Amino acid sequence: MKERWNLNSLIQVVLVLIVFSLTGTSVVFLKPYVFQLFGIESLTGIKGVFLYLLLIPPLYQILLLFYGTLLGQFSFFWKWEKKTFNSIGKLFKKRKKKV
């Protein structure tokens, strides 16, 4: 992972993994409260799925930057965010027809 993610040390690898762990755990913990804000008790029906897709991925991205900043890894996670959004953007770009 150190080479793949261009990290400088084993400590940095551990910090990045801790950030991912904290973010995932926080999202699982916060999801029921976020749903409760919108009056949904469980993930059932199209409304629940829609709200999940609308709210949880952005919450994950925000928490990733928050924990990354707290653990001194903001620059890594800022690059990670840009890479993620560029990948998502490519899904929605029009593809030119080959003639």
Side-chain angles (χ1 to χ4, degrees):
M1 281 188 236
K2 184 178 166 184
E3 290 84 24
R4 181 176 178 167
W5 289 344
N6 293 325
L7 299 173
N8 299 325
S9 66
L10 182 59
I11 300 278
Q12 192 176 12
V13 172
V14 171
L15 289 172
V16 166
L17 292 175
I18 289 172
V19 169
F20 280 121
S21 298
L22 288 171
T23 303
T25 303
S26 296
V27 166
V28 168
F29 177 75
L30 292 173
K31 185 182 84 159
Y33 297 108
V34 171
F35 271 40
Q36 190 176 19
L37 284 172
F38 290 92
I40 294 180
E41 294 180 19
S42 65
L43 185 64
T44 57
I46 191 74
K47 184 179 177 184
V49 172
F50 179 73
L51 273 177
Y52 181 87
L53 292 173
L54 186 67
L55 298 174
I56 300 304
L59 176 63
Y60 182 87
Q61 302 303 327
I62 291 166
L63 288 173
L64 203 59
L65 286 174
F66 174 74
Y67 286 125
T69 301
L70 283 180
L71 293 176
Q73 301 302 312
F74 178 80
S75 62
F76 172 81
F77 285 102
W78 186 247
K79 290 176 190 173
W80 183 275
E81 293 289 332
K82 290 192 285 187
K83 184 178 170 184
T84 299
F85 284 108
N86 283 337
S87 297
I88 292 170
K90 287 179 184 178
L91 294 174
F92 296 103
K93 283 186 177 180
K94 285 187 176 182
R95 295 183 183 171
K96 294 182 180 181
K97 292 183 182 179
K98 292 182 181 181
V99 181

